[in-house]
Amino acid sequence: MQGKTDLSQFNNDWYQPGSAIKRALWYIVNVLFFINPLMPISGLKVALLRLFGAKVGAGVVIKPAVNIKYPWKLTIGDHTWIGEKVWIDNLGVVKIGANACLSQGSMLLCGNHNYKKAAFDLMVGDITIEDGAWVGAHSVVCPGVTCGSHSILSVNSVATHDLEAYKIYQGNPAQFVRNREINS
């Protein structure tokens, strides 16, 4: 016999991402200064992230319309670029290395649901984007994935497993395509 999903049983009380006041204040700041497509000042965004507990390196560029769930669960290395409409849904910890690039519309998704449970339980996994990695436009990095140093996740691809360093991946699910060579 097949079971059925029963969302009335859903309970994620175990998940405590921060106080209700902290989350409410961040929600307002996120809407006004990050999600807002009319707010281009990257330096102000970096300062606000730090104010809310993010660890952000030097020379970070954050474009308009970026959505960040919880800055206190975010680390960004030096000289990293975060493009327009990037969504960092960091229910878990997200670590982005130095000189990394998250292109337009890409998503880092730390949460998922257990489809094998009737209550559709929340599952959370951390994401790591190592130094020099590039997440292409409209690509998705799933919970628990590490994008290795200087790896590339090509446009519209979905990383459901770790990406090895200096390798290029493409597709859904992303598959190895070729090695990445960088000329000086």
Side-chain angles (χ1 to χ4, degrees):
M1 179 175 170
Q2 297 273 332
K4 293 185 179 184
T5 302
D6 182 359
L7 296 179
S8 70
Q9 293 181 29
F10 181 78
N11 182 334
N12 67 343
D13 287 345
W14 63 269
Y15 181 71
Q16 300 295 325
S19 74
I21 292 171
K22 184 178 188 178
R23 287 183 284 134
L25 287 173
W26 173 250
Y27 179 82
I28 293 165
V29 169
N30 196 32
V31 168
L32 292 176
F33 297 100
F34 287 82
I35 297 172
N36 182 351
L38 302 176
M39 179 49 182
I41 305 169
S42 186
L44 176 59
K45 294 175 194 177
V46 167
L48 289 167
L49 284 173
R50 288 179 180 143
L51 181 68
F52 276 86
K55 295 172 186 75
V56 184
V60 171
V61 174
I62 302 172
K63 295 291 189 172
V66 170
N67 187 4
I68 298 171
K69 181 76 85 180
Y70 300 128
W72 48 93
K73 293 177 167 274
L74 180 62
T75 300
I76 305 171
D78 295 340
H79 306 290
T80 286
W81 298 347
I82 300 176
E84 291 89 349
K85 297 184 181 178
V86 165
W87 182 15
I88 301 174
D89 190 27
N90 58 330
L91 298 173
V93 172
V94 169
K95 293 179 183 175
I96 303 169
N99 300 295
C101 179
L102 305 180
S103 289
Q104 303 87 332
S106 61
M107 297 191 302
L108 306 183
L109 304 178
C110 289
N112 202 345
H113 294 278
N114 188 343
Y115 64 87
K116 295 178 181 178
K117 299 282 189 168
F120 212 51
D121 296 350
L122 177 65
M123 300 184 307
V124 176
D126 299 339
I127 291 175
T128 301
I129 309 296
E130 293 182 351
D131 293 349
W134 178 13
V135 177
H138 297 279
S139 290
V140 177
V141 179
C142 293
V145 170
T146 294
C147 295
S149 175
H150 296 83
S151 63
I152 296 175
L153 181 62
S154 298
V155 172
N156 278 326
S157 295
V158 179
T160 58
H161 56 82
D162 292 350
L163 308 184
E164 293 183 40
Y166 288 92
K167 298 199 181 299
I168 300 172
Y169 293 82
Q170 181 178 1
N172 181 5
Q175 301 295 320
F176 169 74
V177 176
R178 65 182 164 277
N179 292 321
R180 179 181 185 185
E181 296 179 21
I182 300 174
N183 301 317
S184 298

PDB file of all heavy atoms in Angstrom, residues 62-88:
ATOM      1  N   ILE A  62      28.148  43.022  -4.925  1.00  0.00           N
ATOM      2  CA  ILE A  62      26.793  42.466  -4.837  1.00  0.00           C
ATOM      3  C   ILE A  62      25.882  43.330  -5.704  1.00  0.00           C
ATOM      4  O   ILE A  62      25.652  44.503  -5.414  1.00  0.00           O
ATOM      5  CB  ILE A  62      26.291  42.441  -3.374  1.00  0.00           C
ATOM      6  CG1 ILE A  62      27.245  41.628  -2.499  1.00  0.00           C
ATOM      7  CG2 ILE A  62      24.869  41.869  -3.328  1.00  0.00           C
ATOM      8  CD1 ILE A  62      26.934  41.700  -1.016  1.00  0.00           C
ATOM      9  N   LYS A  63      25.380  42.752  -6.764  1.00  0.00           N
ATOM     10  CA  LYS A  63      24.519  43.457  -7.707  1.00  0.00           C
ATOM     11  C   LYS A  63      23.095  43.591  -7.153  1.00  0.00           C
ATOM     12  O   LYS A  63      22.750  42.995  -6.135  1.00  0.00           O
ATOM     13  CB  LYS A  63      24.499  42.697  -9.045  1.00  0.00           C
ATOM     14  CG  LYS A  63      25.833  42.676  -9.742  1.00  0.00           C
ATOM     15  CD  LYS A  63      26.204  44.047 -10.245  1.00  0.00           C
ATOM     16  CE  LYS A  63      27.425  43.990 -11.128  1.00  0.00           C
ATOM     17  NZ  LYS A  63      27.681  45.269 -11.768  1.00  0.00           N
ATOM     18  N   PRO A  64      22.218  44.355  -7.849  1.00  0.00           N
ATOM     19  CA  PRO A  64      20.829  44.525  -7.396  1.00  0.00           C
ATOM     20  C   PRO A  64      20.008  43.230  -7.468  1.00  0.00           C
ATOM     21  O   PRO A  64      20.346  42.296  -8.190  1.00  0.00           O
ATOM     22  CB  PRO A  64      20.267  45.561  -8.387  1.00  0.00           C
ATOM     23  CG  PRO A  64      21.463  46.296  -8.889  1.00  0.00           C
ATOM     24  CD  PRO A  64      22.550  45.262  -8.947  1.00  0.00           C
ATOM     25  N   ALA A  65      18.937  43.204  -6.685  1.00  0.00           N
ATOM     26  CA  ALA A  65      17.916  42.155  -6.686  1.00  0.00           C
ATOM     27  C   ALA A  65      18.433  40.814  -6.162  1.00  0.00           C
ATOM     28  O   ALA A  65      17.951  39.760  -6.555  1.00  0.00           O
ATOM     29  CB  ALA A  65      17.282  41.998  -8.074  1.00  0.00           C
ATOM     30  N   VAL A  66      19.407  40.851  -5.259  1.00  0.00           N
ATOM     31  CA  VAL A  66      19.938  39.640  -4.626  1.00  0.00           C
ATOM     32  C   VAL A  66      19.108  39.347  -3.384  1.00  0.00           C
ATOM     33  O   VAL A  66      18.782  40.255  -2.617  1.00  0.00           O
ATOM     34  CB  VAL A  66      21.428  39.824  -4.259  1.00  0.00           C
ATOM     35  CG1 VAL A  66      21.929  38.693  -3.380  1.00  0.00           C
ATOM     36  CG2 VAL A  66      22.260  39.949  -5.524  1.00  0.00           C
ATOM     37  N   ASN A  67      18.754  38.091  -3.164  1.00  0.00           N
ATOM     38  CA  ASN A  67      17.958  37.688  -2.005  1.00  0.00           C
ATOM     39  C   ASN A  67      18.797  36.763  -1.127  1.00  0.00           C
ATOM     40  O   ASN A  67      19.259  35.724  -1.592  1.00  0.00           O
ATOM     41  CB  ASN A  67      16.684  36.974  -2.475  1.00  0.00           C
ATOM     42  CG  ASN A  67      15.723  36.674  -1.351  1.00  0.00           C
ATOM     43  OD1 ASN A  67      15.930  37.047  -0.205  1.00  0.00           O
ATOM     44  ND2 ASN A  67      14.640  35.996  -1.684  1.00  0.00           N
ATOM     45  N   ILE A  68      19.001  37.171   0.123  1.00  0.00           N
ATOM     46  CA  ILE A  68      19.788  36.373   1.067  1.00  0.00           C
ATOM     47  C   ILE A  68      18.906  36.057   2.259  1.00  0.00           C
ATOM     48  O   ILE A  68      18.378  36.967   2.902  1.00  0.00           O
ATOM     49  CB  ILE A  68      21.065  37.117   1.497  1.00  0.00           C
ATOM     50  CG1 ILE A  68      21.955  37.361   0.272  1.00  0.00           C
ATOM     51  CG2 ILE A  68      21.808  36.329   2.583  1.00  0.00           C
ATOM     52  CD1 ILE A  68      23.131  38.275   0.527  1.00  0.00           C
ATOM     53  N   LYS A  69      18.729  34.773   2.580  1.00  0.00           N
ATOM     54  CA  LYS A  69      17.838  34.345   3.655  1.00  0.00           C
ATOM     55  C   LYS A  69      18.347  34.770   5.033  1.00  0.00           C
ATOM     56  O   LYS A  69      17.669  35.468   5.761  1.00  0.00           O
ATOM     57  CB  LYS A  69      17.652  32.829   3.588  1.00  0.00           C
ATOM     58  CG  LYS A  69      16.721  32.253   4.632  1.00  0.00           C
ATOM     59  CD  LYS A  69      15.267  32.499   4.344  1.00  0.00           C
ATOM     60  CE  LYS A  69      14.769  31.413   3.417  1.00  0.00           C
ATOM     61  NZ  LYS A  69      13.373  31.542   3.073  1.00  0.00           N
ATOM     62  N   TYR A  70      19.541  34.316   5.420  1.00  0.00           N
ATOM     63  CA  TYR A  70      20.066  34.566   6.763  1.00  0.00           C
ATOM     64  C   TYR A  70      21.547  34.934   6.687  1.00  0.00           C
ATOM     65  O   TYR A  70      22.398  34.044   6.586  1.00  0.00           O
ATOM     66  CB  TYR A  70      19.894  33.330   7.658  1.00  0.00           C
ATOM     67  CG  TYR A  70      18.468  32.887   7.829  1.00  0.00           C
ATOM     68  CD1 TYR A  70      18.099  31.570   7.582  1.00  0.00           C
ATOM     69  CD2 TYR A  70      17.487  33.782   8.252  1.00  0.00           C
ATOM     70  CE1 TYR A  70      16.783  31.158   7.750  1.00  0.00           C
ATOM     71  CE2 TYR A  70      16.167  33.370   8.416  1.00  0.00           C
ATOM     72  CZ  TYR A  70      15.824  32.061   8.160  1.00  0.00           C
ATOM     73  OH  TYR A  70      14.525  31.649   8.322  1.00  0.00           O
ATOM     74  N   PRO A  71      21.893  36.217   6.759  1.00  0.00           N
ATOM     75  CA  PRO A  71      23.300  36.613   6.622  1.00  0.00           C
ATOM     76  C   PRO A  71      24.210  36.049   7.714  1.00  0.00           C
ATOM     77  O   PRO A  71      25.400  35.841   7.476  1.00  0.00           O
ATOM     78  CB  PRO A  71      23.259  38.139   6.686  1.00  0.00           C
ATOM     79  CG  PRO A  71      21.949  38.484   7.266  1.00  0.00           C
ATOM     80  CD  PRO A  71      21.015  37.360   6.938  1.00  0.00           C
ATOM     81  N   TRP A  72      23.672  35.766   8.881  1.00  0.00           N
ATOM     82  CA  TRP A  72      24.485  35.212   9.963  1.00  0.00           C
ATOM     83  C   TRP A  72      24.934  33.777   9.678  1.00  0.00           C
ATOM     84  O   TRP A  72      25.718  33.219  10.425  1.00  0.00           O
ATOM     85  CB  TRP A  72      23.764  35.302  11.310  1.00  0.00           C
ATOM     86  CG  TRP A  72      22.344  34.824  11.296  1.00  0.00           C
ATOM     87  CD1 TRP A  72      21.902  33.559  11.583  1.00  0.00           C
ATOM     88  CD2 TRP A  72      21.180  35.590  10.994  1.00  0.00           C
ATOM     89  NE1 TRP A  72      20.543  33.499  11.461  1.00  0.00           N
ATOM     90  CE2 TRP A  72      20.067  34.747  11.095  1.00  0.00           C
ATOM     91  CE3 TRP A  72      20.965  36.925  10.629  1.00  0.00           C
ATOM     92  CZ2 TRP A  72      18.751  35.165  10.865  1.00  0.00           C
ATOM     93  CZ3 TRP A  72      19.665  37.346  10.381  1.00  0.00           C
ATOM     94  CH2 TRP A  72      18.577  36.467  10.505  1.00  0.00           C
ATOM     95  N   LYS A  73      24.459  33.198   8.577  1.00  0.00           N
ATOM     96  CA  LYS A  73      24.884  31.856   8.159  1.00  0.00           C
ATOM     97  C   LYS A  73      25.689  31.932   6.850  1.00  0.00           C
ATOM     98  O   LYS A  73      25.736  30.979   6.084  1.00  0.00           O
ATOM     99  CB  LYS A  73      23.666  30.950   7.954  1.00  0.00           C
ATOM    100  CG  LYS A  73      22.906  30.626   9.232  1.00  0.00           C
ATOM    101  CD  LYS A  73      21.683  29.777   8.890  1.00  0.00           C
ATOM    102  CE  LYS A  73      21.076  29.184  10.107  1.00  0.00           C
ATOM    103  NZ  LYS A  73      21.705  27.922  10.493  1.00  0.00           N
ATOM    104  N   LEU A  74      26.325  33.105   6.599  1.00  0.00           N
ATOM    105  CA  LEU A  74      26.978  33.349   5.313  1.00  0.00           C
ATOM    106  C   LEU A  74      28.413  33.839   5.496  1.00  0.00           C
ATOM    107  O   LEU A  74      28.679  34.723   6.309  1.00  0.00           O
ATOM    108  CB  LEU A  74      26.185  34.406   4.538  1.00  0.00           C
ATOM    109  CG  LEU A  74      26.686  34.814   3.158  1.00  0.00           C
ATOM    110  CD1 LEU A  74      26.685  33.634   2.185  1.00  0.00           C
ATOM    111  CD2 LEU A  74      25.827  35.950   2.600  1.00  0.00           C
ATOM    112  N   THR A  75      29.319  33.245   4.717  1.00  0.00           N
ATOM    113  CA  THR A  75      30.705  33.701   4.631  1.00  0.00           C
ATOM    114  C   THR A  75      31.033  33.898   3.158  1.00  0.00           C
ATOM    115  O   THR A  75      30.747  33.025   2.332  1.00  0.00           O
ATOM    116  CB  THR A  75      31.675  32.656   5.233  1.00  0.00           C
ATOM    117  OG1 THR A  75      31.334  32.457   6.611  1.00  0.00           O
ATOM    118  CG2 THR A  75      33.116  33.107   5.126  1.00  0.00           C
ATOM    119  N   ILE A  76      31.635  35.055   2.839  1.00  0.00           N
ATOM    120  CA  ILE A  76      32.016  35.368   1.457  1.00  0.00           C
ATOM    121  C   ILE A  76      33.469  35.826   1.459  1.00  0.00           C
ATOM    122  O   ILE A  76      33.836  36.754   2.191  1.00  0.00           O
ATOM    123  CB  ILE A  76      31.132  36.491   0.856  1.00  0.00           C
ATOM    124  CG1 ILE A  76      29.645  36.140   0.947  1.00  0.00           C
ATOM    125  CG2 ILE A  76      31.535  36.763  -0.594  1.00  0.00           C
ATOM    126  CD1 ILE A  76      28.713  37.286   0.563  1.00  0.00           C
ATOM    127  N   GLY A  77      34.300  35.206   0.621  1.00  0.00           N
ATOM    128  CA  GLY A  77      35.711  35.558   0.528  1.00  0.00           C
ATOM    129  C   GLY A  77      35.963  36.813  -0.297  1.00  0.00           C
ATOM    130  O   GLY A  77      35.058  37.379  -0.913  1.00  0.00           O
ATOM    131  N   ASP A  78      37.218  37.233  -0.327  1.00  0.00           N
ATOM    132  CA  ASP A  78      37.632  38.453  -1.030  1.00  0.00           C
ATOM    133  C   ASP A  78      37.336  38.383  -2.532  1.00  0.00           C
ATOM    134  O   ASP A  78      37.482  37.334  -3.160  1.00  0.00           O
ATOM    135  CB  ASP A  78      39.142  38.664  -0.856  1.00  0.00           C
ATOM    136  CG  ASP A  78      39.552  38.919   0.581  1.00  0.00           C
ATOM    137  OD1 ASP A  78      38.701  39.317   1.403  1.00  0.00           O
ATOM    138  OD2 ASP A  78      40.750  38.712   0.883  1.00  0.00           O
ATOM    139  N   HIS A  79      36.957  39.530  -3.072  1.00  0.00           N
ATOM    140  CA  HIS A  79      36.804  39.753  -4.516  1.00  0.00           C
ATOM    141  C   HIS A  79      35.836  38.789  -5.194  1.00  0.00           C
ATOM    142  O   HIS A  79      36.034  38.379  -6.344  1.00  0.00           O
ATOM    143  CB  HIS A  79      38.168  39.732  -5.212  1.00  0.00           C
ATOM    144  CG  HIS A  79      39.128  40.689  -4.591  1.00  0.00           C
ATOM    145  ND1 HIS A  79      38.992  42.056  -4.695  1.00  0.00           N
ATOM    146  CD2 HIS A  79      40.203  40.476  -3.793  1.00  0.00           C
ATOM    147  CE1 HIS A  79      39.949  42.644  -4.010  1.00  0.00           C
ATOM    148  NE2 HIS A  79      40.700  41.709  -3.444  1.00  0.00           N
ATOM    149  N   THR A  80      34.800  38.430  -4.484  1.00  0.00           N
ATOM    150  CA  THR A  80      33.755  37.568  -5.048  1.00  0.00           C
ATOM    151  C   THR A  80      32.651  38.427  -5.642  1.00  0.00           C
ATOM    152  O   THR A  80      32.342  39.493  -5.130  1.00  0.00           O
ATOM    153  CB  THR A  80      33.230  36.615  -3.950  1.00  0.00           C
ATOM    154  OG1 THR A  80      34.226  35.617  -3.727  1.00  0.00           O
ATOM    155  CG2 THR A  80      31.930  35.946  -4.331  1.00  0.00           C
ATOM    156  N   TRP A  81      32.049  37.953  -6.727  1.00  0.00           N
ATOM    157  CA  TRP A  81      30.966  38.663  -7.400  1.00  0.00           C
ATOM    158  C   TRP A  81      29.667  37.900  -7.216  1.00  0.00           C
ATOM    159  O   TRP A  81      29.601  36.681  -7.434  1.00  0.00           O
ATOM    160  CB  TRP A  81      31.230  38.768  -8.897  1.00  0.00           C
ATOM    161  CG  TRP A  81      32.449  39.537  -9.293  1.00  0.00           C
ATOM    162  CD1 TRP A  81      33.214  40.348  -8.512  1.00  0.00           C
ATOM    163  CD2 TRP A  81      33.036  39.542 -10.592  1.00  0.00           C
ATOM    164  NE1 TRP A  81      34.252  40.863  -9.240  1.00  0.00           N
ATOM    165  CE2 TRP A  81      34.168  40.393 -10.533  1.00  0.00           C
ATOM    166  CE3 TRP A  81      32.718  38.928 -11.794  1.00  0.00           C
ATOM    167  CZ2 TRP A  81      34.977  40.644 -11.637  1.00  0.00           C
ATOM    168  CZ3 TRP A  81      33.519  39.169 -12.881  1.00  0.00           C
ATOM    169  CH2 TRP A  81      34.634  40.019 -12.803  1.00  0.00           C
ATOM    170  N   ILE A  82      28.609  38.630  -6.866  1.00  0.00           N
ATOM    171  CA  ILE A  82      27.274  38.047  -6.751  1.00  0.00           C
ATOM    172  C   ILE A  82      26.363  38.835  -7.692  1.00  0.00           C
ATOM    173  O   ILE A  82      26.117  40.024  -7.481  1.00  0.00           O
ATOM    174  CB  ILE A  82      26.769  38.085  -5.292  1.00  0.00           C
ATOM    175  CG1 ILE A  82      27.731  37.277  -4.405  1.00  0.00           C
ATOM    176  CG2 ILE A  82      25.341  37.549  -5.210  1.00  0.00           C
ATOM    177  CD1 ILE A  82      27.402  37.303  -2.941  1.00  0.00           C
ATOM    178  N   GLY A  83      25.887  38.162  -8.743  1.00  0.00           N
ATOM    179  CA  GLY A  83      25.149  38.810  -9.821  1.00  0.00           C
ATOM    180  C   GLY A  83      23.691  39.082  -9.505  1.00  0.00           C
ATOM    181  O   GLY A  83      23.148  38.657  -8.483  1.00  0.00           O
ATOM    182  N   GLU A  84      23.041  39.800 -10.417  1.00  0.00           N
ATOM    183  CA  GLU A  84      21.639  40.169 -10.289  1.00  0.00           C
ATOM    184  C   GLU A  84      20.751  38.943 -10.073  1.00  0.00           C
ATOM    185  O   GLU A  84      20.947  37.905 -10.691  1.00  0.00           O
ATOM    186  CB  GLU A  84      21.137  40.908 -11.550  1.00  0.00           C
ATOM    187  CG  GLU A  84      21.719  42.279 -11.749  1.00  0.00           C
ATOM    188  CD  GLU A  84      23.015  42.270 -12.552  1.00  0.00           C
ATOM    189  OE1 GLU A  84      23.585  41.175 -12.791  1.00  0.00           O
ATOM    190  OE2 GLU A  84      23.488  43.355 -12.930  1.00  0.00           O
ATOM    191  N   LYS A  85      19.794  39.089  -9.184  1.00  0.00           N
ATOM    192  CA  LYS A  85      18.759  38.090  -8.910  1.00  0.00           C
ATOM    193  C   LYS A  85      19.298  36.759  -8.384  1.00  0.00           C
ATOM    194  O   LYS A  85      18.627  35.737  -8.498  1.00  0.00           O
ATOM    195  CB  LYS A  85      17.863  37.880 -10.126  1.00  0.00           C
ATOM    196  CG  LYS A  85      17.100  39.127 -10.522  1.00  0.00           C
ATOM    197  CD  LYS A  85      16.147  38.886 -11.660  1.00  0.00           C
ATOM    198  CE  LYS A  85      15.425  40.171 -12.019  1.00  0.00           C
ATOM    199  NZ  LYS A  85      14.530  39.977 -13.146  1.00  0.00           N
ATOM    200  N   VAL A  86      20.488  36.766  -7.797  1.00  0.00           N
ATOM    201  CA  VAL A  86      20.989  35.559  -7.141  1.00  0.00           C
ATOM    202  C   VAL A  86      20.157  35.336  -5.882  1.00  0.00           C
ATOM    203  O   VAL A  86      19.792  36.285  -5.183  1.00  0.00           O
ATOM    204  CB  VAL A  86      22.491  35.697  -6.782  1.00  0.00           C
ATOM    205  CG1 VAL A  86      22.936  34.622  -5.801  1.00  0.00           C
ATOM    206  CG2 VAL A  86      23.332  35.647  -8.055  1.00  0.00           C
ATOM    207  N   TRP A  87      19.828  34.081  -5.591  1.00  0.00           N
ATOM    208  CA  TRP A  87      19.089  33.735  -4.381  1.00  0.00           C
ATOM    209  C   TRP A  87      19.947  32.806  -3.540  1.00  0.00           C
ATOM    210  O   TRP A  87      20.262  31.690  -3.961  1.00  0.00           O
ATOM    211  CB  TRP A  87      17.756  33.071  -4.736  1.00  0.00           C
ATOM    212  CG  TRP A  87      16.913  32.716  -3.549  1.00  0.00           C
ATOM    213  CD1 TRP A  87      17.037  33.152  -2.251  1.00  0.00           C
ATOM    214  CD2 TRP A  87      15.791  31.849  -3.548  1.00  0.00           C
ATOM    215  NE1 TRP A  87      16.064  32.616  -1.463  1.00  0.00           N
ATOM    216  CE2 TRP A  87      15.279  31.800  -2.234  1.00  0.00           C
ATOM    217  CE3 TRP A  87      15.176  31.095  -4.531  1.00  0.00           C
ATOM    218  CZ2 TRP A  87      14.180  31.030  -1.887  1.00  0.00           C
ATOM    219  CZ3 TRP A  87      14.073  30.330  -4.182  1.00  0.00           C
ATOM    220  CH2 TRP A  87      13.577  30.313  -2.874  1.00  0.00           C
ATOM    221  N   ILE A  88      20.363  33.303  -2.377  1.00  0.00           N
ATOM    222  CA  ILE A  88      21.108  32.480  -1.430  1.00  0.00           C
ATOM    223  C   ILE A  88      20.109  32.090  -0.338  1.00  0.00           C
ATOM    224  O   ILE A  88      19.875  32.842   0.597  1.00  0.00           O
ATOM    225  CB  ILE A  88      22.336  33.227  -0.862  1.00  0.00           C
ATOM    226  CG1 ILE A  88      23.266  33.635  -2.013  1.00  0.00           C
ATOM    227  CG2 ILE A  88      23.060  32.351   0.154  1.00  0.00           C
ATOM    228  CD1 ILE A  88      24.444  34.497  -1.596  1.00  0.00           C
TER     229      ILE A  88
END
